[in-house]
Amino acid sequence: MRCVWLADETDTAGWRREARALLRAGVSPHEVSWGVAGALGDAPAAGPLRACEPSPGLFDAAPPSDDEVPAGTPAAVPAPRVPASFLTLADSALLHRDAGRFALLYRLLWRLQREPGLRGDPLDADWLAAQALAQAVHRDQHKMRAFVRFHERPTPEGPQYVAWFEPEHHTLASQAGFFQRRFARMRWAIFTPDTSIAWDGHRLHHGGPDRREEIPTDDATQALWLTYYASIFNPARLKLATMAQHMPRKYWHNLPEARLIAPLAAAAAQRAEAMVKRPGTVPHRRRAVCVEPAHPSRGVMPAASADPLAALAIVHAHIQACTACAHGRQATQAVAGEGAPGAALMLVGEQPGDQEDLQGRAFVGPAGQLLDRALAEAGIAREAVYLTNAVKHFGFTLRGTRRLHKTPGQQEVLACSRWLEEEIALVQPTRLLALGATAARALLGVTVSVSASRGGPPRRRPQDGREVHVTWHPAALLRMPPDERERAWARWVADLRTAASESSVAR
Ligand code: URA
């Protein structure tokens, strides 16, 4: 019995080299036992491999090279003929977890030299078995491309995007090129129970197994992905069986969005019905404001309340679908809040502006940039707070092609209050900071001035008793004359700092 040891489970080059040498030496398949060096202590392959195990010198028992054929072997056969289609098939099939794959493929190779009709025999058992292995590997590779989910992990060199995946076969290294091309500018790593690969922006590194616990599960990237997933979920097109076919359940435990499926499915019929009843939208035509009653205490998604991140993503999807007031029917899209549940401080603005409406993110226009500067000066990380608005759609009047900001009225604030209350209930901030009078009124239910919070912040009664710090809206600072703005700036930053320190927000 000839024992052949490959360097590792994916040593396809080693298999090719050894198979070619064995073939040239005329060693028949039943005389060869294949194994993987690293797997010796784990699960040895069944069958003849056992006979090879005891010798400590096994690793040295390399098969003969092309030039050196050991004595006693049958007469050498002519140079092997290997069809290209076999090599392609073998490259995939060799990545299967089946311990018998090396022997199967060598047997096929051996038979290809001797059975001229084998290549065209679609029913040959060895061909079929090898094809089944290759197909399973292709499926696994496809699933890896589709179901790897990266999470953001802070490192001293900047964020690294890490993912945990459990491939069925030895497919990780074969997909490195795909992820490298796709995410060339990111620093990323994919960990599996067997091996890992990491890209540092310049080079790929292959490593050993890692632990699933190393992957963060509550990062901002995941929150954004859940929000996106919930917002593209179409309740009118729900087909759970088809969904499970494309996204097999065995992958669900590593897919953050899987936990949204049950609550989204549960709410689908109700949402689809509301979609059907809703009047069609006519762009840029003013309509009468219709205000839905606010139900802050009811909660839109009680089934998801055990998981605030998932519930928040679903609330965001509901916000996206809301047309309870004229703004909702006029704007490009709704702009929900941004940040993670548990953020100690929630900043509430008035309504999205032109840029926010186009980009779908709160505070990204000129006012947002000023706020970013103030947050930085106050030592507050934007990612550590939850940023939202009292009204979720951009309200404007058209002046030619220009969209001029229109301050939301009490009706819009009321229509959106259910969403703001949902966000507060799910994020559970210890402090609220109202940016401007609209936000203060939305949070407190009464009109208050910026100076109201100076003698101690008012509390939200009868809602939840939370303290509401009140300060200027960034647009108010933008409108101030330069010297006034300079004086107000220091006070504004101090207000942010006070709210943050009282809420113990992470800096
Ligand atoms: N003004 C706001 O109140 N909110 C935004 O998101 C942007 C500008």
Side-chain angles (χ1 to χ4, degrees):
M1 177 62 59
R2 182 76 53 83
C3 302
V4 178
W5 294 94
L6 300 171
D8 57 48
E9 297 282 4
T10 58
D11 186 12
T12 50
W15 181 88
R16 279 189 188 207
R17 193 180 55 244
E18 304 294 351
R20 193 179 300 117
L22 290 167
L23 216 51
R24 296 193 72 164
V27 183
S28 74
H30 66 266
E31 293 176 275
V32 189
S33 174
W34 297 85
V36 173
L40 191 58
D42 307 337
L49 181 60
R50 291 219 150 268
C52 300
E53 281 176 8
S55 163
L58 282 178
F59 295 99
D60 308 327
S65 73
D66 290 6
D67 311 323
E68 132 210 6
V69 178
T73 53
V77 293
R81 290 180 312 276
V82 187
S85 57
F86 172 82
L87 288 179
T88 312
L89 177 78
D91 277 348
S92 295
L94 284 168
L95 301 181
H96 201 282
R97 234 176 244 281
D98 188 323
R101 65 197 184 277
F102 305 118
L104 167 70
L105 288 159
Y106 182 60
R107 189 163 65 245
L108 252 181
L109 189 58
W110 172 268
R111 291 180 57 210
L112 277 168
Q113 314 305 308
R114 290 162 178 77
E115 299 173 35
L118 178 59
R119 256 203 252 185
D121 182 356
L123 295 179
D124 179 81
D126 282 345
W127 263 134
L128 290 174
Q131 274 160 3
L133 296 188
Q135 271 164 15
V137 166
H138 291 157
R139 254 196 318 275
D140 199 40
Q141 289 168 326
H142 172 74
K143 296 298 182 207
M144 186 184 294
R145 291 174 185 211
F147 296 146
V148 158
R149 298 285 180 266
F150 287 104
H151 297 262
E152 192 174 332
R153 179 163 82 172
T155 72
E157 295 82 37
Q160 185 194 29
Y161 295 87
V162 289
W164 174 259
F165 191 73
E166 292 164 26
E168 266 188 59
H169 305 293
H170 303 291
T171 44
L172 180 63
S174 72
Q175 296 310 295
F178 167 82
F179 288 102
Q180 185 186 329
R181 283 189 299 280
R182 182 113 184 231
F183 304 111
R185 286 156 177 241
M186 274 166 46
R187 293 169 58 243
W188 55 260
I190 303 174
F191 303 127
T192 77
D194 302 319
T195 51
S196 59
I197 47 173
W199 171 250
D200 63 9
H202 306 284
R203 280 184 49 219
L204 263 179
H205 304 266
H206 295 261
D210 222 298
R211 288 171 350 116
R212 190 177 177 186
E213 293 72 45
E214 303 298 318
I215 311 288
T217 51
D218 54 356
D219 55 307
T221 307
Q222 172 169 310
L224 206 61
W225 166 238
L226 289 180
T227 303
Y228 172 73
Y229 184 84
S231 71
I232 57 161
F233 183 93
N234 185 344
R237 293 238 169 119
L238 179 63
K239 289 198 181 83
L240 281 177
T242 315
M243 183 185 272
Q245 217 176 353
H246 291 292
M247 193 171 153
R249 280 177 195 273
K250 66 180 174 194
Y251 295 101
W252 285 23
H253 66 290
N254 286 323
L255 292 175
E257 68 270 29
R259 63 178 128 136
L260 296 184
I261 294 173
L264 282 170
Q270 194 193 346
R271 282 178 64 202
E273 198 182 322
M275 278 163 71
V276 171
K277 283 191 185 144
R278 200 176 297 144
T281 47
V282 181
H284 299 155
R285 249 212 12 236
R286 191 69 219 253
R287 295 193 169 201
V289 172
C290 95
V291 179
E292 270 191 9
H295 300 295
S297 57
R298 201 195 287 161
V300 288
M301 202 46 64
S305 57
D307 180 348
L309 194 57
L312 202 54
I314 293 166
V315 168
H316 291 177
H318 278 266
I319 291 174
Q320 208 48 256
C322 182
T323 53
C325 76
H327 286 195
R329 296 191 288 273
Q330 185 190 36
T332 310
Q333 60 191 311
V335 179
E338 207 170 283
L345 178 62
M346 181 184 282
L347 266 59
V348 183
E350 182 198 77
Q351 66 170 347
D354 183 77
Q355 280 305 308
E356 286 78 14
D357 171 78
L358 296 173
Q359 296 185 38
R361 291 189 58 200
F363 288 105
V364 289
Q369 283 157 21
L370 195 71
L371 180 63
D372 280 349
R373 269 180 46 207
L375 286 173
E377 193 166 321
I380 304 166
R382 183 174 161 127
E383 309 75 53
V385 300
Y386 189 89
L387 271 174
T388 192
N389 283 299
V391 172
K392 311 301 184 195
H393 284 103
F394 178 37
F396 59 89
T397 42
L398 268 180
R399 184 78 45 85
T401 53
R402 287 177 63 213
R403 306 193 299 171
L404 298 184
H405 165 270
K406 189 160 155 281
T407 305
Q410 190 57 5
Q411 285 183 315
E412 286 83 22
V413 172
L414 245 179
C416 269
S417 69
R418 61 186 298 190
W419 305 129
L420 183 59
E421 293 301 330
E422 292 282 3
E423 288 177 299
I424 295 170
L426 291 167
V427 175
Q428 288 288 324
T430 47
R431 285 287 192 285
L432 294 156
L433 177 62
L435 300 171
T438 303
R441 204 175 56 218
L443 288 168
L444 291 161
V446 290
T447 304
V448 285
S449 66
V450 170
S451 55
S453 123
R454 299 251 126 197
R459 287 182 183 272
R460 275 156 50 87
R461 301 193 208 283
Q463 294 102 322
D464 50 23
R466 277 193 174 79
E467 288 184 352
V468 180
H469 295 256
V470 184
T471 191
W472 287 296
H473 188 277
L477 275 99
L478 286 174
R479 282 194 298 268
M480 288 175 188
D483 53 335
E484 194 184 331
R485 186 189 309 157
E486 212 168 292
R487 284 194 302 275
W489 175 262
R491 196 177 132 189
W492 196 44
V493 171
D495 283 348
L496 293 175
R497 208 176 272 132
T498 305
S501 67
E502 287 189 9
S503 64
S504 335
V505 73
R507 307 226 169 174

